[in-house]
Amino acid sequence: MFAAVEGHTHAPLIDVGLFRRATFTSSTCAICVAFFCLFGFIFITTQWFQALRGYTALQTAVATLPFAVVMAAVAPLATQLAKRFGYRSVVSTGLLFLSASMFVVTRVDAHCSYWFVVVPTMALMAAGIALIQGPATDALMSTVPESSTGAASAVNDTIREIGGTLGVAVMGSAISSVYPDELSDSLSGLQIPSSITKAAKDSVMAAKSILPHLPAGIRQTVEQSVSTSFMSATHAACWIACALALAFALLCWITLPKHDSGNLLQ
């Protein structure tokens, strides 16, 4: 509907014809996927660290600092790499890094090593996002005429918000769909009051809040079931992000220019 209205307006908010340009569209999609994975991963990680690993809010924030450090280190190099190797290679590699990092998460358990598993995975994801952001934005802006640079910049900003929102919505929905079913199956054969099971199924954070109030005899069993169920749900959510990033890596490899030509405007 938006495209139809904009296409028949004398002074459109944005020229939707820009999306007919393969470079513009694929760059936009790459940025969207990057923020989809980023926001979705953060949404899951905060629950994982606090509910299952017992971190406080401050410890969780500190534990994610390697992500910011790697992004800050790689981002300045990304544009230089794009100039040398081209948008296609750098952006596609960034998406492959994202896909690989999400695949790693599908293989881990709740208490895997922070330094040998979590930090390398966050570093791989951060490097991937850093490789995508600058070059994809540069490619996107290079496809539009000077009169449309403001609108293109707005699209660039908006698509980040859309990607992040979709990441939380889609990956959060996967968690919400898988976790209760997994927990029900895990607790079904145990003599646990239905009220406890119902409360624990609401969310992993809700389950954490009730664990200290459970009888000692069933506390460990419920805690293990909650941990296993949430990680199963996390794996399902990360498979979605893994497949999405891999698919768009292929799209960008096909549609983005091999070399940075300075200005892609035809």
Side-chain angles (χ1 to χ4, degrees), residues 202-262:
D202 285 343
S203 71
V204 68
M205 299 304 293
K208 178 191 175 183
S209 69
I210 68 172
L211 285 175
H213 306 291
L214 298 180
I218 65 172
R219 185 183 305 155
Q220 186 175 357
T221 300
V222 174
E223 183 176 11
Q224 181 60 41
S225 296
V226 168
S227 177
T228 302
S229 300
F230 183 78
M231 290 311 296
S232 295
T234 295
H235 296 163
C238 288
W239 272 119
I240 295 172
C242 175
L244 192 66
L246 186 61
F248 279 93
L250 177 60
L251 174 68
C252 288
W253 182 261
I254 294 171
T255 58
L256 286 178
K258 183 176 181 179
H259 299 293
D260 174 10
S261 59

Side-chain angles (χ1 to χ4, degrees), residues 167-215:
V168 173
V170 174
M171 296 180 73
S173 294
I175 294 285
S176 299
S177 298
V178 176
Y179 168 73
D181 292 340
E182 289 284 336
L183 188 60
S184 290
D185 293 341
S186 182
L187 299 178
S188 60
L190 305 175
Q191 299 300 316
I192 295 176
S194 59
S195 59
I196 293 177
T197 301
K198 182 178 180 181
K201 284 168 58 179
D202 285 343
S203 71
V204 68
M205 299 304 293
K208 178 191 175 183
S209 69
I210 68 172
L211 285 175
H213 306 291
L214 298 180

Side-chain angles (χ1 to χ4, degrees), residues 28 57 80 103 107 121 144 146 166 217 223 226 235 242 251:
T28 300
Q80 297 304 316
F103 174 76
R107 316 308 299 172
T121 302
V144 301
E146 186 175 349
L166 288 174
E223 183 176 11
V226 168
H235 296 163
C242 175
L251 174 68

Side-chain angles (χ1 to χ4, degrees), residues 4 59 112 142 167 214:
Q59 288 173 323
C112 61
S142 297
L214 298 180

Side-chain angles (χ1 to χ4, degrees), residues 15-251:
D15 180 7
V16 292
L18 292 173
F19 287 96
R20 297 192 184 98
R21 300 174 184 270
T23 298
F24 184 92
T25 300
S26 56
S27 297
T28 300
C29 289
I31 294 169
C32 185
V33 171
F35 279 80
F36 178 101
C37 294
L38 172 60
F39 279 56
F41 181 75
I42 291 174
F43 175 76
I44 291 172
T45 300
T46 52
Q47 298 178 75
W48 175 18
F49 283 179
Q50 294 184 59
L52 304 187
R53 298 177 75 97
Y55 293 5
T56 64
L58 178 59
Q59 288 173 323
T60 298
V62 172
T64 58
L65 281 178
F67 191 99
V69 171
V70 173
M71 278 200 69
V74 177
L77 302 175
T79 302
Q80 297 304 316
L81 290 172
K83 290 180 179 178
R84 181 172 181 179
F85 299 105
Y87 295 125
R88 182 176 76 179
S89 296
V90 175
V91 174
S92 297
T93 298
L95 287 164
L96 287 176
F97 281 7
L98 273 182
S99 183
S101 66
M102 287 297 177
F103 174 76
V104 172
V105 179
T106 68
R107 316 308 299 172
V108 303
D109 58 33
H111 301 287
C112 61
S113 170
Y114 173 75
W115 289 107
F116 294 104
V117 178
V118 178
V119 170
T121 302
M122 286 195 295
L124 185 62
M125 178 179 294
I129 293 173
L131 290 174
I132 294 167
Q133 282 192 95
T137 298
D138 189 27
L140 181 154
M141 297 300 295
S142 297
T143 62
V144 301
E146 186 175 349
S147 60
S148 299
T149 55
S153 178
V155 169
N156 183 41
D157 290 339
T158 302
I159 205 65
R160 295 166 191 249
E161 301 297 331
I162 292 174
T165 301
L166 288 174
V168 173
V170 174
M171 296 180 73
S173 294
I175 294 285
S176 299
S177 298
V178 176
Y179 168 73
D181 292 340
E182 289 284 336
L183 188 60
S184 290
D185 293 341
S186 182
L187 299 178
S188 60
L190 305 175
Q191 299 300 316
I192 295 176
S194 59
S195 59
I196 293 177
T197 301
K198 182 178 180 181
K201 284 168 58 179
D202 285 343
S203 71
V204 68
M205 299 304 293
K208 178 191 175 183
S209 69
I210 68 172
L211 285 175
H213 306 291
L214 298 180
I218 65 172
R219 185 183 305 155
Q220 186 175 357
T221 300
V222 174
E223 183 176 11
Q224 181 60 41
S225 296
V226 168
S227 177
T228 302
S229 300
F230 183 78
M231 290 311 296
S232 295
T234 295
H235 296 163
C238 288
W239 272 119
I240 295 172
C242 175
L244 192 66
L246 186 61
F248 279 93
L250 177 60
L251 174 68

